[in-house]
Amino acid sequence: QLAESGGGLVQPGGSLKLNCVASGFTLGYHAIGWFRQAPGLEREGVGCIRTADAGTYYVGSIKGRFTISGDRAKNTVYLQMNSLKPEDTAVYYCALGSRFACNGRGLRSGDFTTWGQGTQVTVSS
């Protein structure tokens, strides 16, 4: 299973680092995707990482502000979010897929089979 943490309230321009801890299995030839869902909107992809080679892919709207990284020793993937904007407010989810789910050609929620419970991020002054 996956468990997210690290969400909270932050002012515009601030930073947060989300954690996605995997338990019950070891991250290897997998992909971890980050997604978010704001109230009244559909879930959207943020980015992903292949845990074997640390290859990453980001959705265009967050490029340059968010960074995904992993620590295989801790079985954990991180989402570092900088220069946060009010429109980044959402519940953030991490999800597990095969390494082919993070191939640099888009991010599809249907390629990910196991999801965390989500963590709320609120960007507001």
Side-chain angles (χ1 to χ4, degrees), residues 29-101:
Y29 289 96
H30 298 98
I32 294 291
W34 284 98
F35 296 80
R36 66 186 183 184
Q37 187 166 20
L41 298 179
E42 293 187 357
R43 183 168 53 194
E44 64 175 354
V46 173
C48 60
I49 185 169
R50 292 188 302 272
T51 51
D53 64 5
T56 54
Y57 167 79
Y58 300 95
V59 173
S61 63
I62 59 90
K63 281 182 181 177
R65 297 192 298 123
F66 292 6
T67 303
I68 300 173
S69 61
D71 185 336
R72 292 182 66 178
K74 295 183 178 180
N75 227 28
T76 300
V77 168
Y78 306 100
L79 176 63
Q80 176 69 48
M81 304 185 294
N82 299 326
S83 302
L84 283 162
K85 307 174 181 180
E87 52 264 43
D88 294 318
T89 295
V91 177
Y92 283 71
Y93 300 90
C94 63
L96 175 74
S98 77
R99 65 186 187 274
F100 303 109

Side-chain angles (χ1 to χ4, degrees), residues 21-22 25-26 29 51 55-56 59 90 96-97 101-102 107 114:
V21 179
F25 68 99
T26 300
Y29 289 96
T51 51
T56 54
V59 173
L96 175 74
C102 188
L107 195 60
T114 301

